[in-house]
Amino acid sequence: MTTRLPNLETPSFACFGEVLWDVLPTGQQPGGAPFNVAVHLRQLGLPADLISRVGDDELGTELLAFIESKNLRLNYVQRGHTHLTGVVKANVDDTHEVTYKIVQPVAWDYIHYDAALEALVQQADVFVFGSLAARQAGTRETLYRLLEHARFKVFDVNLRPPHYTKDVVRYLLEKADMVKLNHHELAEIMAWFSEETDEAAALQWLSARFDLQAVCLTKGADGAILWANNQLYSAPGVPVAVKDTIGSGDSFLAALLKGLLTGQEPGEALRFACATGALVATHAGATPTFQETDVHTLLAAQPV
């Protein structure tokens, strides 16, 4: 079992899965976890590409323009003629826990495998994916094939009922090198595989069971814990005035990956990731513009 994380000067990323419109009471905003992660990686100064698919419709055209505006290439965002661009209806009545109604089938359910995607994944240092894109056979088969070419595989669990099965989640866990999940997801997955209920012990158990180099549990306002390098790290939440939490977990993951994979001490990487997620929560929408200095400013204002 490999226990040490890669140490790369400037890791490159391929983020696979859904890009869509979040329909909110205030209007529609671009979203989708893999897209959000890619945007935040770019904002943190790292090369990232998005692999996804939109429809040949007005919403697709608008989404492509937004993707470009966030400094992401369109080379790997396919355009389909048979299915509409993805839409999700987000309920933000609880500002700390957003719920979603996810339309299906849509364009990102039919990401086609091709040589360009394979080449991108082979070249990228890191491949980021989630469970939602595996809900239907088309994109799931493409994901499974690309996983065979990926160097370092990061599974952002992102369980959205009813869009997953135990068998698919287990397969993705088996393929992953690193996993990020929240407390609801941890409880559900552990109920499938083990009687362990203690969070820290559960992360260690998952790491051993699925041969993972790192497992991270996000706990919202209570921060996060991380099992990496055979050690447990923890970081408190960063108190902020929350507008909404859409995209907070995705920005957290981008920041954590940057820290962990560029040789930052894991505890510091976790603390920086918590502050990044908190900063995004002070803005409406999943991909507000920010700079790394903004995160450091927020951290500097915290009591020691």
Side-chain angles (χ1 to χ4, degrees):
M1 178 177 172
T2 304
T3 58
R4 306 303 295 186
L5 290 159
N7 188 347
L8 305 161
E9 188 174 338
T10 310
S12 59
F13 294 81
C15 300
F16 178 94
E18 64 274 11
V19 63
L20 47 82
W21 288 100
D22 282 322
V23 180
L24 305 164
T26 53
Q28 60 191 33
Q29 296 173 345
F35 166 66
N36 297 340
V37 172
V39 169
H40 293 305
L41 286 166
R42 292 283 296 133
Q43 294 197 134
L44 292 167
L46 296 174
D49 278 295
L50 174 68
I51 300 172
S52 193
R53 189 176 182 91
V54 300
D56 186 17
D57 50 26
E58 189 175 338
L59 286 178
T61 300
E62 292 175 10
L63 208 43
L64 291 174
F66 188 83
I67 293 168
E68 270 197 311
S69 78
K70 290 295 187 177
N71 298 316
L72 290 172
R73 298 188 292 179
L74 299 179
N75 305 43
Y76 309 100
V77 182
Q78 301 169 358
R79 192 127 198 213
H81 301 286
T82 53
H83 293 87
L84 297 174
T85 297
V87 172
V88 169
K89 294 168 185 174
N91 183 340
V92 293
D93 290 344
D94 180 349
T95 56
H96 293 279
E97 189 136 9
V98 183
T99 56
Y100 302 91
K101 181 180 179 183
I102 306 169
V103 176
Q104 75 175 102
V106 291
W108 57 259
D109 286 310
Y110 299 91
I111 300 173
H112 293 171
Y113 190 91
D114 62 35
L117 299 191
E118 181 181 307
L120 172 67
V121 172
Q122 284 177 330
Q123 293 161 11
D125 295 307
V126 186
F127 183 60
V128 181
F129 61 96
S131 63
L132 184 55
R135 69 180 179 175
Q136 293 207 167
T139 294
R140 181 169 65 245
E141 289 167 8
T142 299
L143 172 59
Y144 284 10
R145 290 179 69 182
L146 291 175
L147 281 167
E148 298 307 313
H149 298 283
R151 299 184 195 178
F152 186 80
K153 301 173 284 290
V154 178
F155 181 19
D156 181 11
V157 174
N158 202 24
L159 299 183
R160 302 291 183 204
H163 303 284
Y164 61 90
T165 67
K166 176 182 174 181
D167 286 345
V168 168
V169 173
R170 175 168 46 205
Y171 183 84
L172 296 176
L173 285 168
E174 288 169 348
K175 290 293 179 182
D177 297 301
M178 175 176 169
V179 167
K180 182 214 115 189
L181 71 178
N182 65 30
H183 60 288
H184 296 303
E185 292 159 349
L186 179 66
E188 182 163 357
I189 288 171
M190 293 307 291
W192 292 342
F193 301 121
S194 167
E195 295 180 0
E196 182 59 69
T197 56
D198 177 75
E199 289 176 343
L203 296 196
Q204 188 173 351
W205 186 92
L206 284 172
S207 176
R209 167 65 177 80
F210 293 103
D211 195 14
L212 300 168
Q213 294 175 40
V215 191
C216 184
L217 174 67
T218 59
K219 303 169 72 173
D222 293 325
I225 58 175
L226 171 72
W227 178 262
N229 300 339
N230 288 322
Q231 292 184 55
L232 185 72
Y233 302 89
S234 65
V238 177
V240 292
V242 173
K243 281 203 175 171
D244 71 52
T245 57
I246 298 173
S248 289
D250 305 322
S251 64
F252 170 96
L253 178 58
L256 181 64
L257 287 171
K258 177 172 184 175
L260 289 181
L261 301 181
T262 58
Q264 192 174 14
E265 190 272 327
E268 282 300 305
L270 192 63
R271 189 165 174 259
F272 181 79
C274 286
T276 303
L279 180 66
V280 167
T282 66
H283 299 271
T287 54
T289 300
F290 69 89
Q291 296 181 328
E292 202 167 333
T293 52
D294 299 327
V295 183
H296 289 298
T297 299
L298 180 59
L299 269 176
Q302 301 307 304
V304 179

